[in-house]
Amino acid sequence: MSDPTPAGTAQSFLDENFADWVRALAPRVTSAGPEGVTLDAPITPAIARVGGIVSGQALATLADTTMVLAVCAATGAFRPVATVSLETQFLRPATGDRITVTATVTRTGRTLAFARATLVAQPSGKVVATASATFALPD
């Protein structure tokens, strides 16, 4: 049975529509709503490089995924959107047990939406990266 909560709806959308390699990161939506979306993903050997540091590609993917879900939650419709631009700033090595990503929408228009994300390593609570993106909204 599917979870009817906003987080459950966002998780179902992720599970049913994102690529296999994105879902292989095991992202779990922990909260979702018009104010933003938060997800957690475990740090596993599959996404860590030398020294147990999460690869930048995995962090960028988690940021993009969370921002897509935030755009959908903010616009009230879980539907495919297209990433137009994605900028990620890596601030420190990402190590620990998991990464928590929180994304908010800064503006939506008729054809474009803009979002930001903060990626935090757990359990340290240190911000390891930030990202911003522009998304095209389908008609």
Side-chain angles (χ1 to χ4, degrees), residues 40-43 92-100 120-128:
D40 274 342
I43 296 176
R92 67 175 56 239
T95 60
D97 299 331
R98 67 189 190 287
I99 299 294
T100 300
V120 178
Q122 303 297 348
S124 72
K126 293 182 178 179
V127 175
V128 295

Side-chain angles (χ1 to χ4, degrees), residues 15-109:
D15 292 341
E16 295 166 10
N17 294 285
F18 281 69
D20 291 343
W21 63 270
V22 174
R23 293 191 320 270
L25 298 173
R28 290 287 152 229
V29 177
T30 59
S31 68
E35 68 288 342
V37 169
T38 301
L39 67 75
D40 274 342
I43 296 176
T44 65
I47 66 169
R49 58 184 185 81
V50 175
I53 298 167
V54 178
S55 74
Q57 296 92 332
L59 293 173
T61 299
L62 292 170
D64 183 71
T65 300
T66 310
M67 288 186 285
V68 166
L69 295 173
V71 167
C72 292
T75 60
F78 284 91
R79 62 182 190 243
V81 300
T83 304
V84 175
S85 69
L86 172 64
E87 182 176 350
T88 308
Q89 302 80 37
F90 302 103
L91 306 174
R92 67 175 56 239
T95 60
D97 299 331
R98 67 189 190 287
I99 299 294
T100 300
V101 187
T102 302
T104 58
V105 174
T106 55
R107 182 179 183 282
T108 58

